[in-house]
Amino acid sequence: ISGSAQTYTLSECLKKGLENNYSLRITRNDEEIAHNNTTLANAGLLPTVDLVAGYNGDLSSSDAKNRATGESDMSINTFDQTLNAGVDINWTIFDGFNASTTYKQLKEMELIGETGTRLAIEDFIADFTSEYYNFIQQRLRLDNYFNAVQLSKERLRIVLERYTIGSASRLDLQQAQVDFNADSAQSLKQLEILATSRIRLYDLMAVKDMNTRLTVSDTSIQVSDDLVFDTLLEATMRTNASLLSAQQDITLAELDYRRTMSRDYPYVKLNAGYSYQHSIMGAGATKTRDSWGPEAGVRIGMTLFDGDRRRQRLNAKLDIENADLARLQLEQALRADLADLWQAYNNNRRLLNLERENLITAQENHYIAHERYMLGDLSGIEMREAQLSLLDAEERILAAEY
């Protein structure tokens, strides 16, 4: 690990991650796209204005006979040319509320984009907080393993001195060496686990230098004892972003149904423009002709039958029902998840109190075992058992806290 250590609080880490995390930045861009799409023009509520120009050339031959005189009028390879330019305006004034419903859908998609960003932020905060406290847990576990190494090292020193003066067997020395090596190996593995957690935190914060030392201000996991289930349930049903997203899906399904129903109404379309046309005649008395001026028209129509309207209407109703059922299913799943988490929370609180009592007993037991071992009244295997009991008690406390 290189670089000087900077001490971070959880809020500082979250702030850094919320600003730099690549997934969140992509999500925010998607939200901005949904915002940019929410325009009257995208919904079809504004007219289109086209600037048009064109050229047409016609090379033709003709032979015409006069009915009265019987004379023929023949022209060979007559080349007529036409040049035109103008401005065209087309505007759908009414289409059975289809355009207005489309605009409402775009507004709803904008809200869905905001909800998606909120969901991504909440998921990020949950994942990061979990990993933050996992980092604390792994660091505390490393301290426990280092203490175990020191105890094994002291025991090895004592056995070595006893073996030197002949009061301990080679088997005792070898067993103490094995236990010391095992504890040392375990601490090395724990260093790797702690490094993995640090890299995971740096990845979430989008820190490029993964080898920088990380120091957090929290030195333990503080457990809250003032949570109330009814308050949590009420807050979940009122503010849960997934529920909000499910309700927005219902709104979208209802708007889709309205768009389907809009096909039962007539449509009114307006077109207007101003054009200029210059024609060059290759034959006849007129050589050129210029014309210009405005034009306007209204088109009214209605689709009487398309053979597919009934199917679309039935499916749109079913989509609304499915969206409502999905919301009810999500509510039930949230109640179940919260009840499961509440049960685990209360169980681990009871376990934590019990394990703290066990830790005091394990510490006293280890102290007595150490004193007896120093007096030669306890075997190395029994001393090792007392040491492992202390380590297990510390481990169970960490697991319950986390």
Side-chain angles (χ1 to χ4, degrees):
I1 300 176
S2 62
S4 59
Q6 179 179 350
T7 301
Y8 288 97
T9 63
L10 175 58
S11 60
E12 290 172 342
C13 290
L14 287 173
K15 181 180 179 181
K16 190 178 183 66
L18 290 172
E19 291 174 352
N20 300 332
N21 183 267
Y22 293 111
S23 295
L24 289 181
R25 290 163 68 180
I26 292 173
T27 302
R28 291 191 183 97
N29 286 340
D30 291 338
E31 178 187 353
E32 186 67 20
I33 290 173
H35 173 72
N36 294 338
N37 288 336
T38 309
T39 63
L40 295 174
N42 194 28
L45 288 169
L46 297 181
T48 60
V49 181
D50 297 324
L51 178 63
V52 296
Y55 168 81
N56 185 58
D58 182 20
L59 179 65
S60 62
S61 301
S62 65
D63 185 5
K65 181 177 288 187
N66 190 292
R67 184 184 297 275
T69 63
E71 296 179 354
S72 296
D73 183 11
M74 180 179 293
S75 60
I76 303 298
N77 295 331
T78 300
F79 187 46
D80 297 330
Q81 303 176 71
T82 302
L83 294 90
N84 59 78
V87 177
D88 290 339
I89 300 175
N90 295 280
W91 191 5
T92 301
I93 299 176
F94 180 76
D95 61 350
F97 308 106
N98 179 64
S100 61
T101 303
T102 300
Y103 184 69
K104 292 178 181 178
Q105 283 183 315
L106 292 174
K107 294 288 289 184
E108 197 65 26
M109 291 300 296
E110 183 180 15
L111 294 177
I112 290 176
E114 295 174 359
T115 304
T117 301
R118 175 180 163 183
L119 274 169
I121 291 174
E122 289 178 357
D123 288 342
F124 173 82
I125 291 175
D127 291 342
F128 190 93
T129 303
S130 177
E131 190 59 47
Y132 178 86
Y133 284 109
N134 179 56
F135 179 81
I136 296 173
Q137 176 187 219
Q138 301 304 335
R139 189 184 60 186
L140 293 173
R141 183 173 287 123
L142 180 63
D143 292 339
N144 292 338
Y145 286 147
F146 279 162
N147 290 334
V149 170
Q150 294 302 317
L151 293 175
S152 296
K153 184 178 180 180
E154 176 64 13
R155 176 184 158 208
L156 178 60
R157 184 190 65 80
I158 295 172
V159 173
L160 183 59
E161 290 182 355
R162 290 178 178 177
Y163 177 75
T164 302
I165 63 176
S167 62
S169 66
R170 183 167 183 79
L171 179 61
D172 292 336
L173 177 61
Q174 290 177 333
Q175 185 62 50
Q177 183 69 55
V178 168
D179 292 339
F180 171 74
N181 291 343
D183 290 341
S184 300
Q186 188 66 52
S187 63
L188 289 175
K189 291 180 181 179
Q190 185 59 31
L191 278 172
E192 180 182 349
I193 295 174
L194 183 63
T196 299
S197 180
R198 184 194 74 246
I199 291 172
R200 170 63 176 160
L201 289 175
Y202 278 153
D203 181 40
L204 291 172
M205 290 189 292
V207 176
K208 294 183 179 180
D209 187 1
M210 298 291 181
N211 293 320
T212 304
R213 178 174 294 133
L214 174 63
T215 304
V216 297
S217 59
D218 294 289
T219 58
S220 63
I221 301 175
Q222 300 298 324
V223 180
S224 175
D225 293 325
D226 58 355
L227 299 181
V228 180
F229 179 79
D230 291 339
T231 303
L232 294 174
L233 180 60
E234 189 275 333
T236 298
M237 295 304 167
R238 176 170 45 86
T239 63
N240 183 269
S242 296
L243 273 182
L244 178 61
S245 177
Q247 184 59 50
Q248 290 168 340
D249 289 340
I250 295 176
T251 303
L252 275 182
E254 293 172 344
L255 290 173
D256 279 335
Y257 179 73
R258 288 187 61 183
R259 287 190 62 185
T260 302
M261 295 295 294
S262 69
R263 299 173 64 181
D264 294 336
Y265 293 85
Y267 58 82
V268 180
K269 298 182 179 181
L270 172 68
N271 65 281
Y274 189 94
S275 62
Y276 167 79
Q277 181 172 299
H278 175 70
S279 301
I280 303 175
M281 284 67 169
T286 303
K287 182 177 181 180
T288 62
R289 182 173 66 242
D290 295 293
S291 59
W292 61 90
E295 58 180 354
V298 177
R299 182 181 179 187
I300 301 175
M302 182 176 181
T303 302
L304 299 178
F305 178 76
D306 60 8
D308 198 35
R309 196 173 306 178
R310 181 175 179 274
R311 177 192 66 83
Q312 293 181 344
R313 190 175 302 166
L314 291 174
N315 287 346
K317 287 183 177 180
L318 290 174
D319 287 338
I320 295 175
E321 182 179 352
N322 284 341
D324 187 57
L325 290 172
R327 180 183 60 82
L328 294 174
Q329 184 183 35
L330 179 58
E331 287 183 358
Q332 181 67 17
L334 287 173
R335 290 190 183 96
D337 288 343
L338 186 60
D340 187 42
L341 290 170
W342 182 255
Q343 177 67 28
Y345 166 72
N346 284 320
N347 186 60
N348 278 282
R349 278 202 310 164
R350 289 189 291 267
L351 280 174
L352 185 57
N353 293 330
L354 179 61
E355 294 301 342
R356 284 170 177 168
E357 295 177 1
N358 288 339
L359 178 60
I360 295 175
T361 303
Q363 289 172 339
E364 293 177 351
N365 183 59
H366 182 268
Y367 176 77
I368 295 173
H370 182 266
E371 292 298 317
R372 290 182 59 190
Y373 184 72
M374 294 294 293
L375 296 173
D377 194 29
L378 195 71
S379 67
I381 294 178
E382 292 173 314
M383 181 62 199
R384 179 64 174 176
E385 289 178 353
Q387 179 185 349
L388 292 178
S389 295
L390 176 60
L391 187 62
D392 289 342
E394 294 169 336
E395 171 63 26
R396 291 194 300 271
I397 285 182
L398 285 177
E401 287 177 337
Y402 182 70

